[in-house]
Amino acid sequence: MDVHTIMRIVLLGAPGSGKGTQAQRLIDRYGVPQISTGDLLRAAVAAGTPLGLQAKSIMDAGKLVDDATMLGIIRERLAQPDAAKGFILDGFPRTLPQADALGALLVELGQPLEAVVLMAVDSQQLFRRLTGRRTCKTCGKVFNVYTAPPPSPPPCAGRCEVPELFQRPDDSEATIGKRLEVYEAQTRPLVEYYSARGLLAEVDAEGDIDAVTARLEAALNARTGR
Ligand code: AP5
């Protein structure tokens, strides 16, 4: 497989648009880390750190953690050695101030973005994906009771001593509605922001997961000229 050494991209999209699912696949394809701010926050919650204690109620309510905190997290993560060869940003930026701050940080690091991919999915489909999502407590593998049902036992059985699927607290119906509202109000403006900077590519992120990966890779290759 043709592996590139540098790939600096943002996956932009509503909750449930498949950013995490596709980022996991791109890690293998491009050999760069996925940086998911949602995963970083959930790890802080699980560890009971001061950040986790602050973030939990905000996340459970479907709101956004403040920009200054998020920028501190991303600055620290991008300084780690594995990010020197590139990164797939998943869930960051999601406000205009975050996008501005990311741009300034990447100039400072001499690592400009190559592409921002908008994962386009109809809102009814998003609701179904989020209510159906289940995650393995041990390995973090993501399933979906409607669209990607876990076989019984799940495929991580054997690797995971006790595969146990759970539903994210923010995947309740009430919180999903709030998250989608927040996306429209605070994150959707980034589509225009990155389009105006010539970085945006839009991918149809509905349908078969492998087909979405193929469209995503084609869009990335077209944008980066690879
Ligand atoms: P975060 O974890 O980033 O959540 P999100 O953006 O809401 O995105 P999701 O993880 O819900 O969805 P996804 O697009 O990754 O979809 P997935 O691949 O899992 O953030 C959580 C919270 O943290 C935020 O609400 C906020 O409070 C806070 N936060 C995080 N970043 C922040 C920031 N920058 N600033 C401030 N606060 C921040 O797929 C979903 C489901 O669909 C799965 O079950 C999957 O199996 C299924 N699926 C995927 N692709 C397909 C397909 N093609 N067809 C059918 N099913 C599919």
Side-chain angles (χ1 to χ4, degrees):
M1 187 179 288
D2 182 18
V3 175
H4 305 294
T5 49
I6 302 285
M7 169 62 74
R8 293 182 297 265
I9 63 166
V10 169
L11 294 184
L12 183 64
S17 56
K19 303 181 296 294
T21 300
Q22 295 299 331
Q24 281 293 319
R25 290 163 166 237
L26 296 182
I27 291 173
D28 296 336
R29 174 70 178 81
Y30 295 105
V32 294
Q34 168 195 17
I35 299 181
S36 159
T37 41
D39 286 349
L40 293 172
L41 289 169
R42 280 184 287 277
V45 170
T49 65
L51 167 66
L53 294 175
Q54 174 206 339
K56 182 168 173 28
S57 58
I58 298 170
M59 295 169 78
D60 288 354
K63 298 178 184 165
L64 296 183
V65 174
D66 69 276
D67 291 334
T69 300
M70 295 314 301
L71 190 67
I73 291 175
I74 213 76
R75 180 181 277 279
E76 197 175 295
R77 181 63 186 86
L78 286 175
Q80 289 175 20
D82 64 338
K85 59 185 175 179
F87 45 78
I88 303 160
L89 288 178
D90 159 9
F92 186 95
R94 58 213 281 164
T95 65
L96 289 169
Q98 288 182 15
D100 278 339
L102 175 68
L105 175 59
L106 294 180
V107 166
E108 198 182 303
L109 296 173
Q111 292 201 342
L113 282 179
E114 294 180 291
V116 175
V117 182
L118 174 64
M119 313 272 294
V121 177
D122 169 81
S123 59
Q124 285 202 334
Q125 176 73 236
L126 293 172
F127 204 82
R128 185 174 154 83
R129 285 189 189 182
L130 290 169
T131 51
R133 174 165 50 194
R134 300 291 184 275
T135 308
C136 172
K137 212 170 199 168
T138 313
C139 74
K141 190 168 169 55
V142 174
F143 301 94
N144 195 289
V145 295
Y146 305 121
T147 63
S152 185
C156 47
R159 275 189 297 127
C160 297
E161 264 177 36
V162 188
E164 194 186 331
L165 300 179
F166 75 98
Q167 188 168 25
R168 266 172 46 178
D170 60 346
D171 279 347
S172 68
E173 291 195 12
T175 308
I176 291 169
K178 179 66 186 171
R179 287 163 64 202
L180 293 176
E181 252 176 52
V182 166
Y183 173 78
E184 287 304 324
Q186 300 198 54
T187 309
R188 172 82 71 186
L190 296 185
V191 174
E192 179 53 37
Y193 179 95
Y194 283 119
S195 174
R197 285 159 180 76
L199 284 168
L200 193 80
E202 180 168 337
V203 164
D204 172 5
E206 293 197 26
D208 180 73
I209 293 178
D210 289 338
V212 175
T213 307
R215 289 194 285 274
L216 182 53
E217 288 187 358
L220 286 173
N221 293 342
R223 279 225 58 86
T224 58
R226 290 178 172 119

